[in-house]
Amino acid sequence: MSEPIYRTDALIAEDIDSYLERHQHKTMLRFITCGSVDDGKSTLIGRLLYDSKMIFEDQLAALEDDSKRVGTQGQDIDFALLVDGLAAEREQGITIDVAYRFFNTENRKFIVADCPGHEQYTRNMVTGASTADLAVILIDARKGVLVQTRRHSYLCHLLGIRHIVLAVNKMDLVDYSQETFEQIRADYAEFAQGIGIENFTAIPISGFRGDNITTAPSDNTPWYDGPSLIEHLEAVEVSSEVEGAKPFRMPVQWVNRPNLDFRGFAGLVASGTVAPGDRVRVLPSGKTTTVARVVAMPDADSSEDRDGAMAGESTTITFADEIDCSRGDVIADADDPPQTADQFEATFVWLSDEDLHVGRAYWLKLGTQTVSATVQEPKYEINVNTMAQLAAKTLSLNAIGVAEMHTDRSIVFEPYQDNPALGGFILIDKITNATVAAGMINFSLRRAQNVHWQPTDVTRRERANLKNQTPKVLWFTGLSGSGKSTIANEVEKKLALMNRHTFLLDGDNIRHGLNKDLGFTEADRIENIRRIGEVSKLMADAGLIVLTAFISPFRAEREMVREMLADGEFVEIFVDTPLEVAEARDEKGLYKKARSGTLKNFTGIDSPYEEPQTPDITVNTVEMSAEEAADYIVQRLMPLK
């Protein structure tokens, strides 16, 4: 086994301050190792840590002990154990979670992410790749290019990783055959060209023996005349250098007001540079101003002016003019600003065990912006093994697909390929707060730029005043047979006697017209409620009190309708009836059909009903008659003006 090549810089002993100063200004390269199962990713990282002297003596002793006890290399050191920290990983000899490790050489600092190779952990790999400048794709020299090699290569390209290293590993197991190496390089080049990877660097290595890891060529590969892995990693251009040449963009993370005399806007510079005197534009408002100061804040009570800031640096800037700017806004070059839109085509990598619900509202986080977004039925799903575009109704775990997406308001963006900071986003489930997808904006839809709100002179408040009432949407939800429609009808009659202007939207009636094209699948139920929500909003804008009687089984869709309306206008009324009581009533015979299997996707039988967690009003139809429930609801609603 070769000795580590790194030696402590003599400058440490001569001038520690100068050494630390130089170390502080080293560039940082983030990279990932990926590839198929057992290609040697963890072993390679362990070797890098060992050769860069990033292992303490007690860690090395523990590693030697663990290698003998659970290692896979006989009595030799198993470098993979430095990275595979989970018990399940050590037991199975595989990587499951993404493991991040730091190391440095005399020329550069590195953060490496060891990504799992199994297909079921693709979402973990996407997480690791999302911030990487370079990908080391390992291939077992005995096996060649495999399915997961193609999958990870495609994901790296999709995520915008510009630098690809093809590390043909375990060359010691094929007797360092040049013919084997050249064949693998040719096979990969053919595949890479097909998915759009224009350049890659192929290096023959042995992570276990150390060949071509730190110096090249190894004595075992005299035929190889390229760089070692470390030499290549030290030489590649990092993303901050590339982003620095682009127009200035800085998403605002925080408005900094340490005292009455200072108001600054803090954030991470995503691209370009900024300096005092630069003209900038604040989006989405579009207002322009001049940068007065670029400030460093060493503590809460003091500030230091800087000459400027560049991509990758966190800073605070102040404006020469008093204009509105807050978290979620983007400060950009005044003459070359990014776009704003609310409709997009995007590529999604689905990360959740629960499939995409077409039409459901999710939280979308892009930079510091958070908006509500809905995803339409996918245009296609991508088979990453064949690159074929497959028809798809939804997206499931680890699926990659392209779909249109709408947000509830315009966001500031750039296509992901132009600016990952303003083109990459995540989707979050509104109920569980779980991250369900990572996405990349491809472009905005043309109709997003051509369709605009037409202003009207008569306001919704004036319409409500004409009716002498406060608009409301009374949303009755409950199982089929709970009595929603009956109680809603009684409430409307009582409101009519009070001279209130109302309209009742009933689930069955709506399906005779507006929603007659929808079935009862989960996706159709979501779209059913979305349409009713939009109609209810229009009626509330007209000043009406709207009553809706729908099962509306999913909390997320009821919450979506609530968010469409002004605060206090949506009133969720839970008609609480046990399933056995509702089924015993079964006036329409629907439960009987569902139990016999002739009626599919029936709520309460083979489709779930999610009870409201904090309804505004609850009525129990076991304890109350429809008349009593209606009286109770009207009493709770008063005064309506």
Side-chain angles (χ1 to χ4, degrees), residues 295-603:
V295 181
M297 305 287 290
D299 56 62
D301 299 320
S302 63
S303 61
E304 298 174 357
D305 282 14
R306 304 174 60 190
D307 295 333
M310 61 179 294
E313 294 182 342
S314 294
T315 192
T316 299
I317 65 177
T318 66
F319 296 152
D321 307 299
E322 289 291 337
I323 64 172
D324 182 41
C325 182
S326 59
R327 175 177 169 82
D329 290 346
V330 175
I331 304 172
D333 187 325
D335 298 323
D336 191 5
Q339 306 172 57
T340 60
D342 61 1
Q343 300 179 51
F344 313 91
E345 182 194 88
T347 302
F348 298 85
V349 181
W350 202 254
L351 309 178
S352 174
D353 293 317
E354 185 175 353
D355 292 355
L356 161 69
H357 295 293
V358 173
R360 172 167 291 181
Y362 297 94
W363 290 122
L364 179 147
K365 286 182 68 69
L366 187 156
T368 58
Q369 304 172 88
T370 301
V371 297
S372 184
T374 57
V375 182
Q376 304 307 301
E377 184 175 299
K379 293 182 175 180
Y380 55 85
E381 182 179 335
I382 301 168
N383 182 326
V384 298
N385 303 325
T386 64
M387 297 299 111
Q389 297 179 358
L390 309 176
K393 295 289 186 181
T394 184
L395 296 175
S396 55
L397 177 63
N398 293 326
I400 302 170
V402 174
E404 292 182 0
M405 173 181 68
H406 302 167
T407 57
D408 64 345
R409 57 184 173 85
S410 293
I411 59 175
V412 184
F413 82 99
E414 288 187 299
Y416 184 83
Q417 293 300 322
D418 296 338
N419 192 331
L422 289 180
F425 61 87
I426 59 173
L427 291 182
I428 301 171
D429 187 283
K430 288 188 173 184
I431 301 300
T432 65
N433 286 324
T435 300
V436 297
M440 293 135 281
I441 292 177
N442 300 329
F443 52 81
S444 64
L445 302 181
R446 181 173 298 176
R447 61 177 177 265
Q449 308 300 325
N450 297 334
V451 179
H452 306 279
W453 282 103
Q454 174 63 39
T456 57
D457 292 330
V458 180
T459 66
R460 71 193 311 271
R461 175 176 293 181
E462 289 172 330
R463 298 188 193 102
N465 288 340
L466 287 171
K467 297 176 175 59
N468 195 35
Q469 64 185 29
T470 301
K472 294 280 185 184
V473 173
L474 310 182
W475 194 275
F476 292 79
T477 177
L479 293 169
S480 177
S482 62
K484 300 180 301 299
S485 297
T486 302
I487 296 172
N489 186 57
E490 289 296 324
V491 171
E492 185 179 33
K493 289 193 296 183
K494 293 179 183 297
L495 293 176
L497 292 174
M498 300 165 62
N499 295 321
R500 303 303 185 203
H501 298 258
T502 63
F503 196 91
L504 172 59
L505 296 170
D506 182 78
D508 286 346
N509 294 347
I510 290 296
R511 284 186 177 273
H512 285 292
L514 177 65
N515 290 347
K516 67 180 180 180
D517 60 320
L518 299 177
F520 291 90
T521 65
E522 193 162 309
D524 282 351
R525 287 175 182 273
I526 292 171
E527 175 60 15
N528 181 51
I529 298 305
R530 188 197 67 81
R531 293 184 190 179
I532 298 308
E534 293 289 356
V535 171
S536 299
K537 180 179 182 297
L538 292 174
M539 289 185 168
D541 285 345
L544 294 174
I545 297 171
V546 187
L547 301 89
T548 71
F550 293 82
I551 295 174
S552 49
F554 305 121
R555 296 188 191 105
E557 279 57 66
R558 299 195 296 266
E559 189 62 28
M560 173 185 68
V561 179
R562 185 188 294 274
E563 291 170 0
M564 292 179 184
L565 301 162
D567 288 345
E569 284 191 4
F570 181 88
V571 181
E572 186 177 42
I573 302 173
F574 177 33
V575 183
D576 185 6
T577 304
L579 175 61
E580 59 272 16
V581 174
E583 188 170 358
R585 294 171 181 169
D586 201 18
E587 295 179 359
K588 302 173 184 177
L590 300 179
Y591 282 100
K592 184 177 180 179
K593 292 180 180 179
R595 291 293 187 189
S596 67
T598 59
L599 180 60
K600 300 294 185 182
N601 300 312
F602 190 74
T603 303

